[in-house]
Amino acid sequence: MNTTVSPNAKIWIFFPDRIITKEENLLLMEEIHQFLKQWSSHGKPVESILANPDNFFYVIAVDTTKNHIGGCAQDELNRFFKTLGSKYNIDFFNRFMIPVKNEQGKVELINLKQIPAILPDNLLWANTLINQWKDLDKLYLPLQQHPLKNLILQNV
């Protein structure tokens, strides 16, 4: 795995559909590292980096100017996370669960189908639609700035 990342590197963001323990996070990180060491595209190793914001998100970054990531390699990444999820009873593809950061800086999950009628103003909502490393600092946004604001609010 690479240790430096181009600001324009493509990222994939995965997160569990439940709060995980520190021990689970360590196990998941180890398995993801092992996968990334052998991940390839068109027979060539994919140089990637793994970030773990808040010990909750799993961000895979690849500089696509140095690595061609074909559809099969992307499918392999998704299959890996599905298999990993099955092993740990986690769904990394449940988009009804939205991570938020509360005023104490702790990550919580809100079910899009069960959003409370009154939302605290100080919640920061995870923006997992970002797709470049340079935008990772925008992982959390206030609801009014979030690209899915209308979708979220229609469920209140």
Side-chain angles (χ1 to χ4, degrees), residues 93-98 110-113:
F93 298 91
N94 181 350
R95 296 304 176 234
F96 287 108
M97 300 305 285
I98 301 177
I110 293 181
N111 187 323
L112 187 58
K113 295 179 180 179

Side-chain angles (χ1 to χ4, degrees), residues 13 26 30 35 37 41 46 54-55 68 71 78-79 86 88 96 101 108 121 130-131 135:
I13 301 174
L26 290 172
E30 179 57 32
F35 168 79
K37 284 181 185 178
S41 181
V46 174
D54 296 312
N55 294 317
H68 174 73
N78 287 326
R79 274 192 308 275
S86 294
Y88 290 94
F96 287 108
K101 191 179 275 193
E108 300 174 358
D121 290 334
I130 57 177
N131 62 9
D135 295 325

